[in-house]
Every structure is written in C-alpha cells, then in structure tokens.
Amino acid sequence: MKITQARVIVCCPGRNFVTLKIETDAGLHGVGDATLNGRELAVAGYLQNHVLPCLIGRDPQQIEDIWHYLYKGAYWRRGPVTMSAIAAVDTALWDIKAKIAGQPLYQLLGGRSRTGVMAYGHATGRDIAETVEEVLRHKEAGYRAIRAQSGVPGLEKVYGVSTQGRLYEPADAALPSEHDWDSSKYLRHTPRLFEAVRGAVGEDVHLLHDVHHRLTPVQAAQLGRSLEPYRLFWMEDPTPAENQEAFALIRQHTTTPIAVGEVFNSIWDCKTLIEKQWIDYIRTTVTHAGGITHLRRIADLAALYQVKTGSHGATDLSPICMGAALHFDTWVPNFGLQEYMPHSELMLSVFPHDWRFERGMLYCGESPGHGVDIDEQLAARYPYQRAYLPINRLQHDGSLHDW
Ligand code: CS2
Ligand code: MG
C-alpha cells in the first residue's frame, strides 16, 4: 500500500483548526489534527513544505518507521510545531491502519480497559455565586468531575471566565488581548471559592482547578495547602514547568494532587516530573505530544510511577483529536480523567464523528479507525481568521506575567 496524496486543510468554523488528510492507493484515507492555538499556520507550513513531500509513495502501515523518520530525520527534534505536525501524520496513519483492519482504533492498541471515559466539565462564573450555580448545573447534567474557575474581585479579566456570557474561547482577538493579574488577590479568593463550591456540591463530586501557570512554586505550595480541606481531584499547572525541579518545592508542602502537561510536547518535558513522582496526572494529549505513538510512550513511563493520564481536551483541539484521545483513553491502563469542553454545533458538523457524550462520560465509537472525518466542502466555507491567545500583565506595574 502507498500514500498517494496528503493535504492540509485550514478552516475556522468559529475557531481555527488545522487538519491533515492522507490518502492511499487502496482508496482508504485517514485524518489527523495539527491545531496549535494562535500558531496554526506555522504547523500548516511545516507540514505543507517539509513533511508532505516526504510522505508520498511511503507505505502508510509503517507508522513506527515514519514517526522516527520525521522525528530523527528532521535533526531539529521536539518543539510544539514539529511535534504537532508529527502527531497529525501519526493520527492519520493509525486511522488508516485501523480502517485496514476493519477495527475501531482501541482494538489495535490492546482492546478495551473500561466501559467509558470519565470526563470533567468546566464550571465558570464571574463571581463565586455564579460559579457555584454552574457547578450545580454540571452535577445535575451527570458530571462526576467538575473544574471550577471564577472571576477574582479587583481583576478585570481572568483565565477561563467569559465576560460575554457565551462559551469561553481564549483565542479571542486578531492581536493578543491584554489581561491584568495580581497573585495576592487570587490567592485570597480561591480558597473562598472552593469552600463555597464544596459546601454546595457535597462530597461525591470530584473538584478540579486550573491555576494556568500563574504562581511561583512557593505560592503554589500555599494554594495547594489552603485547598486541602476541599479535597481537590487536582490542581492544574500551578507554576510554569520548564524547570521540572520547581515541583519538588510544591510537593514538599501539600498533598493536593497535581496535574501538568497540556503545553508539553514530548516525554522529555515530563520525564523528571514523573520519575520523581512530583505530579499525579499527566495532561499531554494526542495532537501536541507526537500522536498516539508518542503518547503511549509517555503513558507507559507514567504507569511505572502510578501517575495517571488526564488529557487536555479544550476546544482548540479538534474533534479529530477528541476521537483519537477517546480510543486511547478506552485502552490506556493508567487512565485518570479526560477534559471535555464541548465544541459548537457548527464545529461538530465540519468534523463528522461517532464519539458521544452522555451524563459525564465520553464514549468512542465502534466504526473502523478513530471515527472522525472532515467535511471538506463545509470546511471550505469557513476560511482561516487570525486569532491569538491573550497575554497577562501585573496590575500594579504592567510587567509581563505568565498567562
Ligand atoms: C486550558 C486550555 O483546558 C485547559 O485546561 O488550560 O483552555 C488552554 O488555555 C488552551 O488550550 C490554550 O490554547
Ligand atoms: Mg489548563
């Protein structure tokens, strides 16, 4: 079997998505997600100019060899652009391999380990009362795990909180919008939020929170400790993780579980965090961490140290990534939790899919492959629109801070 054609499709049905479609001489095709929020065209260009010419004529069944051909063959290893491009190829090739076998993808990975995939939803509000209301609405809808974020008094815009009352989409402007930040205000407010949320929702729901890289290690340790009475399922991205050693300090001071890794793109980004058991959940997912082939390496390393998966599932990952991730989650022995942030109806119609959400659980489909495709004609009606993630400045003097 040979790859006969490969093309990159960029579309914006409400937000930008980069999709790779690989076709074969057997009449089968596969698709992969290559979306890198705010830097979409860099990955599209990398694929278009440097990857696609090398794919034509290759046997699509040689997934492992093609992965290493693209990783080692580039000489310039790792990085979000390279790894998202490799991930898209890898996802499309797994899709093709499973279609050849006539099996849903999870069967090729080793079969089903669970009946469904536990998902967490996002409850956000402009203040504590609104967030509590949203948490209760999610509980009512059947969610067993809920992430709670709220506006902070004295701060105008906060990560995760929509000011227009619609679904939150962080890449909200053609040039980066500017947010203001004050860690002391946030550190005072967040324990109050969780006191109210835990009081209202009871004991049976898992509660999560995303710090979004805003704190220093010692501030993160303070926050983790102050949240212990509310028994969080996890505290996410408490501090930036380029320096993996930073997590040793957080770990010394708090037993609040820690989840990290949505911005990681390889096993090397989390090797020390996992081996030292400084984290409890690894948040890498298919698109940004080198596809199914590389994600499996990360999950296997994590399993040795009882670290579980907690895959990123924001709307900047396309429904293709979600489909592939759900097959992965259905198989992976050390599964923890899957993030679920619903795409709009329009986005879902551009990507016909067989996965579904039902009362707090996600289920992959049973059709051959990963079960997601792209409607190219519909996609063509929604061309790319430049959109950036925001930046953050300290409120008192305008210094650039982590967003
Ligand atoms: C977030 C993301 O889902 C999450 O936990 O941190 O929404 C993140 O802000 C976006 O993926 C950025 O593109
Ligand atoms: Mg996050």
Side-chain angles (χ1 to χ4, degrees):
M1 192 178 288
K2 280 190 170 40
I3 296 174
T4 47
Q5 256 205 67
R7 64 180 174 283
V8 180
I9 303 150
V10 182
C11 65
C12 185
R15 68 156 353 282
N16 291 313
F17 293 113
V18 179
T19 304
L20 173 67
K21 181 167 178 174
I22 296 181
E23 289 174 286
T24 66
D25 59 1
L28 293 171
H29 71 272
V31 293
D33 177 31
T35 309
L36 185 62
N37 208 359
R39 295 293 185 271
E40 296 87 357
L41 299 186
V43 189
Y46 188 102
L47 280 166
Q48 188 74 51
N49 299 315
H50 305 298
V51 173
L52 302 193
C54 309
L55 290 181
I56 309 304
R58 276 178 197 284
D59 179 355
Q61 297 183 92
Q62 307 290 346
I63 299 179
E64 195 68 50
D65 184 68
I66 291 178
W67 196 95
H68 289 278
Y69 179 85
L70 295 174
Y71 182 81
K72 295 176 181 163
Y75 186 61
W76 313 107
R77 299 181 185 203
R78 305 186 281 154
V81 174
T82 300
M83 296 303 275
S84 301
I86 295 178
V89 175
D90 188 78
T91 308
L93 295 183
W94 276 103
D95 193 22
I96 291 170
K97 195 182 257 311
K99 284 178 178 171
I100 295 168
Q103 301 270 346
L105 175 52
Y106 72 82
Q107 292 290 12
L108 274 67
L109 297 173
R112 184 178 282 284
S113 297
R114 53 195 53 80
T115 53
V117 170
M118 182 165 67
Y120 73 92
H122 291 192
T124 58
R126 279 164 296 185
D127 54 26
I128 292 179
E130 235 180 63
T131 303
V132 168
E133 211 175 287
E134 275 294 294
V135 168
L136 294 176
R137 203 174 61 76
H138 278 76
K139 185 184 176 189
E140 200 56 34
Y143 281 98
R144 294 163 172 80
I146 304 166
R147 185 185 93 165
Q149 310 287 137
S150 105
V152 176
L155 294 181
E156 211 178 311
K157 291 184 186 157
V158 174
Y159 164 76
V161 180
S162 162
T163 40
Q164 288 89 34
R166 53 178 171 77
L167 279 183
Y168 180 65
E169 187 57 68
D172 60 357
L175 286 173
S177 55
E178 304 221 347
H179 291 190
D180 56 345
W181 185 249
D182 183 319
S183 295
S184 315
K185 287 181 176 143
Y186 169 77
L187 283 168
R188 280 198 301 274
H189 178 71
T190 307
R192 290 177 196 149
L193 167 68
F194 278 92
E195 185 184 10
V197 168
R198 182 54 87 196
V201 82
E203 294 299 328
D204 278 344
V205 171
H206 297 307
L207 291 176
L208 296 77
H209 181 67
D210 192 348
V211 183
H212 222 261
H213 330 271
R214 304 279 163 99
L215 300 177
T216 63
V218 75
Q219 288 170 337
Q222 287 165 12
L223 180 68
R225 192 178 269 194
S226 67
L227 294 177
E228 281 170 19
Y230 315 115
R231 293 170 303 286
L232 261 58
F233 187 90
W234 78 40
M235 164 171 83
E236 178 185 336
D237 288 333
T239 199
E242 288 100 322
N243 174 21
Q244 299 182 41
E245 272 73 22
F247 284 75
L249 187 144
I250 306 175
R251 204 55 151 178
Q252 276 161 26
H253 295 288
T254 179
T255 55
T256 293
I258 298 172
V260 171
E262 67 181 37
V263 301
F264 293 174
N265 51 71
S266 86
I267 199 165
W268 302 100
D269 296 328
C270 48
K271 179 177 177 288
T272 312
L273 288 172
I274 290 171
E275 287 174 350
K276 299 278 188 184
Q277 293 175 295
W278 289 333
I279 60 171
D280 302 279
Y281 297 92
I282 179 68
R283 290 209 8 98
T284 42
T285 191
V286 179
T287 301
H288 298 141
I292 301 269
T293 297
H294 194 66
L295 193 61
R296 190 161 65 169
R297 307 252 131 87
I298 295 176
D300 283 343
L301 173 68
L304 301 181
Y305 300 93
Q306 298 192 47
V307 172
K308 296 186 177 196
T309 65
S311 282
H312 190 202
T315 39
D316 47 300
L317 296 150
S318 90
I320 298 174
C321 176
M322 180 56 86
L326 291 178
H327 282 272
F328 188 86
D329 294 344
T330 297
W331 156 73
V332 72
N334 48 326
F335 171 75
L337 190 59
Q338 169 67 51
E339 181 176 16
Y340 178 52
M341 192 176 169
H343 293 103
S344 70
E345 284 306 315
L346 177 61
M347 293 173 202
L348 291 173
S349 58
V350 170
F351 297 96
H353 57 284
D354 67 354
W355 54 263
R356 66 195 164 86
F357 172 79
E358 216 180 285
R359 299 215 45 90
M361 300 291 283
L362 285 158
Y363 301 91
C364 65
E366 291 292 328
S367 54
H370 57 47
V372 193
D373 212 331
I374 181 164
D375 179 336
E376 290 189 67
Q377 281 183 342
L378 187 57
R381 284 167 45 191
Y382 303 97
Y384 170 78
Q385 283 179 30
R386 196 178 68 203
Y388 281 102
L389 289 169
I391 58 109
N392 225 359
R393 290 189 184 280
L394 294 186
Q395 203 170 43
H396 66 280
D397 70 356
S399 308
L400 201 79
H401 191 66
D402 302 278
W403 174 72

